[in-house]
Amino acid sequence: DVKVTQSSRYLVKRTGEKVFLECVQDMDHENMFWYRQDPGLGLRLIYFSYDVKMKEKGDIPEGYSVSREKKERFSLILESASTNQTSMYLCASRGAGAQETQYFGPGTRLLVL
Amino acid sequence: RKEVEQDPGPFNVPEGATVAFNCTYSNSASQSFFWYRQDCRKEPKLLMSVYSSGNEDGRFTAQLNRASQYISLLIRDSKLSDSATYLCVVNSRGSGTYKYIFGTGTRLKVLA
């Protein structure tokens, strides 16, 4: 059974703090993704990675960075958290083909005060 | 125009009803199509892939119309447990891999 795990289910941070969200998958998937989900806006892609040390910007990368030092782990970093980054953050992983199932982690609800 | 568009709903239907959702997409080069289901405060999970010839899984039927660029999901004999948000997903070739583009979802409430 595929597992995508995220380091925290809930986080409360203050404006200006550096925030690390970690994601680990156990299926040897090449691709990993970070999304945020907000009411009415759906899932928006922040960054993705198709290989170790490779990263590509998604649709809304501003204010975020990522790191993929190992195949199973993909980290999202908020360099200086702001209140407009309060959101649900979802990590996902997927194999390399065009018809692969994308598996999501349980999500991290981040509140920035 | 959004790449993937869905009616947000909510669709409120009685138990046992048949309900259908449509989703339109703008990229004619898209190759793969899916329906995901998301329960309240949970992560999205794959419901079914959508194949060119149409496919069925129990009470669920998915169809693809490439000419008009839409996919559909039909749910027969609705159950209370079908209440969820249904996300339409279309793939798009990106840098190094395929990107899955998610619609904003259609909310379904099945009423007793």
Side-chain angles (χ1 to χ4, degrees), chain B residues 50-111:
Chain B
V50 186
Y51 302 117
S52 297
S53 53
N55 50 300
E56 193 173 304
D57 182 2
R59 298 182 292 108
F60 298 84
T61 300
Q63 299 260 329
L64 167 63
N65 185 317
R66 283 192 185 273
S68 301
Q69 294 183 207
Y70 75 85
I71 68 172
S72 63
L73 178 68
L74 181 80
I75 305 175
R76 288 181 299 278
D77 188 23
S78 299
K79 312 288 184 197
L80 294 175
S81 56
D82 293 335
S83 297
T85 297
Y86 292 84
L87 305 172
C88 168
V89 185
V90 174
N91 85 341
S92 160
R93 185 71 198 181
S95 176
T97 189
Y98 292 94
K99 284 166 47 177
Y100 284 13
I101 312 298
F102 286 77
T104 52
T106 297
R107 195 164 163 216
L108 171 66
K109 287 186 183 178
V110 181
L111 307 171

Side-chain angles (χ1 to χ4, degrees), chain A residues 40-54:
Chain A
L41 297 177
L43 281 161
R44 292 182 291 166
L45 183 63
I46 304 171
Y47 267 96
F48 65 99
S49 168
Y50 54 87
D51 202 353
V52 176
K53 296 195 186 293
M54 303 303 290

Side-chain angles (χ1 to χ4, degrees), chain B residues 7 11-12 25 41 78 99:
Chain B
D7 181 340
F11 284 59
N12 296 320
Y25 62 95
R41 303 182 79 82
S78 299
K99 284 166 47 177

Side-chain angles (χ1 to χ4, degrees), chain A residues 37 94 98-100 102 105, chain B residues 32 36 38 43 95 97-98 100:
Chain A
Q37 187 173 32
R94 197 179 78 223
Q99 197 73 25
E100 300 283 331
Q102 186 156 303
Chain B
S32 302
Y36 275 66
Q38 186 172 24
E43 72 273 24
S95 176
T97 189
Y98 292 94
Y100 284 13

